[in-house]
Amino acid sequence: MSTNLNQKFPGYDIRENVQLSEYTNTQVGGPADWAFWPKSVENLKEVLEYAHEIEMPITVLGNASNLVVSDTGLRGLVIFLEHLNQIKVEGLRVTAEAGATLIKTTQVAMKHSLSGIEWAAGIPGSVGGAVYMNAGAYGGHSAQWIESVTVLTSENEVKTRSNAEMNFGYRQSIVQENGDIILAATFQLEVGNPAEIAAMMEDFNVQRASKQPLEYPSCGSVFKRPEGYFAGKLIMDAGLQGFTIGGAQVSKKHAGFIVNVNHATADEYIQVIRHVQAQVKAKFGVDLETEVKIFGD
C-alpha cells in the first residue's frame, strides 16, 4: 500500500508489514500491511478518520485469542487496543477499557469484593473481545453483567450503548454487524466475599487447566455448542480426537480445541476445522458452527 502512515502520523506506534503470527494466540497468520497500537482514543480517532478518508480496510484484533488469521495476512490497517487497558471501580460498577485483559478485570473485581465475573478468571482474552463475542464459561457470560458499552462508531463518534442496544445472543453482539469498535464496557456486579470469590476463581482455573490444552497455542474453543449436543463429545464420537493436518491437531485433551503442535499454518488450521465439520455432519447430521472467527482470504 503506497500510503505511508508513519510519515502521516509521526510518533504514533504504527508499523508496516507486521507478521501477525507473532501476535495471535494460535501463532499463525500472515503479514498486516500496517499495524497500529493507539495510546489514546484521540489517537485512534485521528488515524481512523484518515483511514476512512482513503478507504483503507480496518480490522480490530483485540487480544487476538479467539481467531485465526489467514496465511495471506490482512490488508489495510490492523488495530491492537492493548494500551487502552484502564480499569476503574465505582461502587458496584467496574469499567474496563477494551484492551484490559479479562484476567486482570476479574482480579480487580475480586480486590473490591465484587462478584459476578469469576467465570472469566482464566480466559486469555480482552474485555473488547469478550463483549464482541459475548464470551462465556462455566454457566456465566458477558451479557449477564454488562450494563453498557462505549463504542467508536463507523462515523468515528464515541457513543454509549445500553445492554439492550447490544443485541447480545449466544456468542453474538451487534458489534459483529454494525462496524462499531468497542472502547470500554461497564459491568454491574454484586457485593461478594473476597475469599469466596478467590476460591471460585481458583476452582475455575483448576478445572480449565485440567480439561483444556493450555500447554499448546490455540484459538480457544473452536465451535459453538450445537443445540442438544456438546461439540467436543461429537468430535470425540466421530473418532477425530488427535486428527492432525501438518502442525494443527484436534486436541487429545479436549476435542473442542484445535492446537498448534508443530509450526502449523493457518491453512492447516482451517483444513482441520473444515474436516471436523464435514465428518460430524456426515456421521451425526449436526452442523458445527465456528465460534472462532477466521480473518483474511
Side-chain angles (χ1 to χ4, degrees):
M1 191 166 287
S2 59
T3 303
N4 191 320
L5 293 179
N6 294 128
Q7 290 179 0
K8 181 72 178 175
F9 299 99
Y12 284 29
D13 191 357
I14 300 177
R15 307 172 204 171
E16 189 174 8
N17 196 33
V18 170
Q19 193 62 33
L20 292 172
S21 59
E22 296 177 15
Y23 298 95
T24 61
N25 278 27
T26 53
Q27 296 181 9
V28 305
D33 291 335
W34 296 94
F36 174 37
W37 286 262
K39 298 284 175 60
S40 70
V41 173
E42 287 310 311
N43 287 169
L44 177 62
K45 288 180 68 175
E46 191 179 349
V47 173
L48 283 179
E49 184 175 6
Y50 179 69
H52 290 317
E53 197 177 292
I54 63 172
E55 298 184 343
M56 179 181 279
I58 295 161
T59 308
V60 181
L61 288 190
N63 207 39
S65 57
N66 199 213
L67 53 85
V68 176
V69 175
S70 77
D71 295 318
T72 56
L74 295 172
R75 307 290 63 83
L77 180 65
V78 173
I79 299 170
F80 294 96
L81 297 176
E82 63 189 64
H83 297 309
L84 304 183
N85 59 13
Q86 296 303 301
I87 303 169
K88 67 177 182 179
V89 179
E90 294 178 311
L92 299 179
R93 291 180 176 86
V94 175
T95 298
E97 289 186 313
T101 66
L102 280 174
I103 292 171
K104 178 68 173 174
T105 305
T106 60
Q107 290 170 346
V108 170
M110 177 184 68
K111 286 176 183 173
H112 287 80
S113 305
L114 295 175
S115 175
I117 54 173
E118 292 88 343
W119 53 269
I123 295 178
S126 65
V127 167
V131 175
Y132 182 90
M133 292 290 296
N134 188 17
Y138 303 111
H141 57 90
S142 303
Q144 286 176 292
W145 302 99
I146 288 173
E147 180 181 74
S148 62
V149 178
T150 304
V151 300
L152 189 62
T153 70
S154 54
E155 288 77 38
N156 221 23
E157 297 176 350
V158 176
K159 289 194 172 177
T160 300
R161 302 204 186 281
S162 68
N163 182 301
E165 290 173 317
M166 290 297 295
N167 284 0
F168 285 118
Y170 176 56
R171 301 296 179 263
Q172 289 287 328
S173 72
I174 198 170
V175 178
Q176 295 179 26
E177 304 160 15
N178 67 7
D180 284 355
I181 294 175
I182 298 157
L183 298 178
T186 296
F187 299 87
Q188 173 81 37
L189 302 178
E190 299 172 347
V191 174
N193 179 295
E196 291 175 4
I197 294 168
M200 196 181 302
M201 288 166 60
E202 176 63 19
D203 180 53
F204 288 148
N205 283 334
V206 168
Q207 289 186 56
R208 185 173 274 110
S210 68
K211 296 175 183 176
Q212 296 181 10
L214 304 182
E215 64 273 24
Y216 290 109
S218 84
C219 52
S221 180
V222 177
F223 302 102
K224 295 180 181 178
R225 181 182 295 177
E227 193 169 343
Y229 299 92
F230 291 97
K233 186 171 189 317
L234 287 171
I235 296 165
M236 278 180 59
D237 292 347
L240 293 169
Q241 199 154 18
F243 175 80
T244 305
I245 295 177
Q249 181 182 84
V250 177
S251 169
K252 296 176 182 178
K253 191 172 185 180
H254 189 316
F257 287 68
I258 296 172
V259 291
N260 185 346
V261 294
N262 187 21
H263 306 291
T265 65
D267 186 58
E268 290 164 355
Y269 248 93
I270 293 165
Q271 284 185 60
V272 173
I273 289 171
R274 300 304 178 222
H275 181 78
V276 167
Q277 288 174 315
Q279 291 297 304
V280 169
K281 176 69 171 176
K283 294 189 177 185
F284 306 111
V286 177
D287 290 305
L288 285 182
E289 186 181 348
T290 52
E291 176 176 323
V292 63
K293 299 295 180 185
I294 299 172
F295 289 88
D297 297 329

